Amino acid sequence: MTMVEEVVAIEEEINAVAAPPPNFSVVEDGVYRSSFPKPSNFAFLETLNLESIICLCPEPYPEENLEFLQSHNIRLFHFGIEGKTDLSQSIVKDTITEALKVLIDVKNHPVLIHCNSGKHRTGCLVGCMRKLQNWCLDSVFEEYKKFAGAKSRNTDLEFIESFDISNMRQCLYSIIYQYQGFASNKPRLLFRSGDNNVQKPQLTKV
Amino acid sequence: MTMVEEVVAIEEEINAVAAPPPNFSVVEDGVYRSSFPKPSNFAFLETLNLESIICLCPEPYPEENLEFLQSHNIRLFHFGIEGKTDLSQSIVKDTITEALKVLIDVKNHPVLIHCNSGKHRTGCLVGCMRKLQNWCLDSVFEEYKKFAGAKSRNTDLEFIESFDISNMRQCLYSIIYQYQGFASNKPRLLFRSGDNNVQKPQLTKV
């Protein structure tokens, strides 16, 4: 390649239009949310350098999405929840709990959470994560509603409010103590640590 | 402190309720947005380890907010834009351009952008940043509307659409070439580089 060709190639790459999936957003450093990604969104997803994807839809994952994941070594965590499920069923709580465990494990970051619209199931999972981060319920609900828009569901808000994080927190305590010892004043957890430039979650004390 | 007292202290810290400012969100790794932070939000803001704040309101910064910034060594970039300004004025474009330069400079990260409601002025600045990241206009508008909600303004959308980023991009090109050389295939820019776990922006090729 000549120098001119190289400059053109770099400029073309820089000028390529980025098309995030609808309802895409950063949740936390290394945690993203969106609607169901389509092939037109794959170029954008590449820029996230995903380690894994949490899909909350029960349908088989589309072949072209699977190919994208395979070619980029992205792990798929597939938790099937029906779109208009009765959220009071205990199986939903169990599924969200399992998804939450995957979500807060930094080994799986950067991770993208998605369902179909990125509103309800994704909103519930993110809401439960915010509870684990001790966000006040007003803020948790505000965030849920921002993404659900006119399709906000009270049953989802009730699910988030009633979701019991105490078991998971007990589990986290034991990890903190195990890794940091009782006397440490640095109970780092949940997210990447050791980089002063990245966001610190609620659980981190610097 | 006894071991029991230490455990209690850690648990109290972990259980402290986090109250983000209304309309808070992560924009990118190290870039946050919100409405005007109040003292009740300071404990939450502490967890972000902010390097700087971009305030887009023309009013003098409140004394208690200034004290918070000083005690945490957070730099204030104060760009005054009236809340119901005529966005077609060229001075607004100049102000947003200056704010954008501060925003994309990783030396200032983590950075929080805010105005009063976190909807219009903040939405315009974030929208212009998304254009610089080459987000398609549909996605830029969707994000703006998510935060503006029922208060979405067409004049803001027109401002974002017409905002000319070519000058800034030319400036970025010259920095890329300066730092990376013409032949490099790694035109890293804008955000932190060298950490495979953090999000890569549009401009980054790995």
Side-chain angles (χ1 to χ4, degrees):
Chain A
M1 247 196 236
T2 67
M3 188 184 283
V4 171
E5 284 170 338
E6 279 162 3
V7 171
V8 169
I10 290 173
E11 288 196 345
E12 276 177 358
E13 190 198 1
I14 289 172
N15 286 321
V17 172
N23 245 350
F24 172 83
S25 182
V26 187
V27 179
E28 289 286 344
D29 177 30
V31 180
Y32 308 97
R33 62 182 289 171
S34 74
S35 58
F36 212 116
K38 294 197 165 46
S40 58
N41 309 123
F42 291 169
F44 173 80
L45 292 189
E46 275 181 12
T47 67
L48 305 180
N49 292 319
L50 294 174
E51 182 71 29
S52 57
I53 282 183
I54 295 176
C55 171
L56 300 171
C57 301
E59 296 80 14
Y61 216 55
E63 197 57 45
E64 46 204 4
N65 291 51
L66 281 177
E67 279 169 18
F68 171 74
L69 267 56
Q70 279 164 2
S71 63
H72 293 78
N73 284 320
I74 300 170
R75 212 168 149 195
L76 175 65
F77 294 94
H78 204 158
F79 299 96
I81 302 174
E82 290 291 340
K84 293 187 176 173
T85 263
D86 175 6
L87 292 175
S88 64
Q89 290 178 326
S90 67
I91 191 167
V92 179
K93 287 186 185 173
D94 293 346
T95 307
I96 291 284
T97 301
E98 290 309 306
L100 202 46
K101 286 180 188 169
V102 169
L103 176 58
I104 64 175
D105 187 341
V106 291
K107 288 200 310 291
N108 301 322
H109 293 192
V111 56
L112 171 70
I113 311 159
H114 76 80
C115 49
N116 260 338
S117 67
K119 291 176 179 170
H120 305 110
R121 288 166 284 193
T122 298
C124 285
L125 179 57
V126 171
C128 293
M129 177 184 146
R130 296 305 191 190
K131 282 187 75 173
L132 204 57
Q133 289 182 292
N134 281 311
W135 277 34
C136 62
L137 210 56
D138 280 355
S139 300
V140 177
F141 283 2
E142 189 204 70
E143 183 178 43
Y144 170 91
K145 289 172 184 168
K146 196 171 275 151
F147 288 84
K151 300 269 182 86
S152 176
R153 291 180 188 158
N154 284 336
T155 46
D156 284 352
L157 299 176
E158 286 159 15
F159 175 83
I160 294 169
E161 183 164 11
S162 69
F163 187 82
D164 183 9
I165 53 164
S166 59
N167 276 346
M168 188 165 288
R169 184 156 294 153
Q170 281 307 319
C171 164
L172 292 176
Y173 285 160
S174 68
I175 299 172
I176 291 175
Y177 300 150
Q178 183 184 331
Y179 278 89
Q180 308 282 353
F182 286 93
S184 168
N185 64 349
K186 295 196 175 186
R188 295 177 177 278
L189 193 67
L190 280 184
F191 294 84
R192 189 177 315 116
S193 62
D195 181 344
N196 285 327
N197 285 326
V198 301
Q199 187 198 356
K200 298 302 183 302
Q202 173 65 13
L203 292 179
T204 300
K205 180 176 175 184
V206 177
Chain B
M1 246 195 237
T2 66
M3 187 183 283
V4 170
E5 284 170 338
E6 279 160 4
V7 170
V8 168
I10 291 173
E11 288 196 344
E12 276 176 358
E13 189 198 0
I14 289 173
N15 287 320
V17 172
N23 245 350
F24 172 83
S25 182
V26 187
V27 179
E28 289 285 345
D29 178 29
V31 180
Y32 308 96
R33 62 182 291 171
S34 75
S35 58
F36 212 116
K38 294 196 163 49
S40 58
N41 310 122
F42 291 169
F44 174 80
L45 292 188
E46 274 181 15
T47 68
L48 305 180
N49 293 319
L50 293 174
E51 181 71 29
S52 57
I53 281 184
I54 295 175
C55 171
L56 301 170
C57 301
E59 296 80 13
Y61 215 56
E63 198 56 46
E64 46 204 3
N65 290 51
L66 281 177
E67 278 168 20
F68 172 74
L69 267 56
Q70 278 163 3
S71 63
H72 292 79
N73 285 319
I74 300 170
R75 213 168 147 194
L76 176 65
F77 294 95
H78 204 159
F79 299 96
I81 302 173
E82 291 290 340
K84 292 188 177 174
T85 266
D86 175 6
L87 291 175
S88 64
Q89 289 179 327
S90 66
I91 192 170
V92 179
K93 287 187 187 175
D94 294 346
T95 308
I96 291 284
T97 301
E98 290 310 305
L100 202 46
K101 285 179 188 169
V102 169
L103 176 58
I104 64 174
D105 187 340
V106 290
K107 287 200 309 292
N108 302 322
H109 293 190
V111 56
L112 171 71
I113 311 159
H114 76 79
C115 49
N116 262 338
S117 66
K119 291 177 180 172
H120 305 110
R121 289 165 284 192
T122 298
C124 285
L125 179 56
V126 171
C128 293
M129 176 185 148
R130 295 306 191 190
K131 282 188 75 172
L132 203 58
Q133 291 182 291
N134 282 311
W135 275 34
C136 63
L137 209 57
D138 279 355
S139 300
V140 177
F141 283 3
E142 188 204 71
E143 184 178 43
Y144 169 90
K145 289 173 184 169
K146 196 171 276 154
F147 288 85
K151 300 270 183 84
S152 176
R153 291 179 187 158
N154 285 335
T155 46
D156 285 351
L157 298 177
E158 286 159 14
F159 175 83
I160 294 169
E161 182 163 12
S162 69
F163 187 82
D164 183 9
I165 53 164
S166 59
N167 277 345
M168 189 165 288
R169 185 157 294 154
Q170 282 307 319
C171 164
L172 292 177
Y173 284 161
S174 68
I175 299 173
I176 291 175
Y177 300 151
Q178 184 184 329
Y179 279 88
Q180 307 283 354
F182 286 94
S184 168
N185 65 348
K186 295 196 176 188
R188 295 177 178 278
L189 192 67
L190 282 184
F191 293 84
R192 188 176 319 115
S193 61
D195 180 344
N196 284 328
N197 285 326
V198 302
Q199 186 197 356
K200 297 303 184 302
Q202 174 63 12
L203 292 179
T204 298
K205 179 176 172 183
V206 176

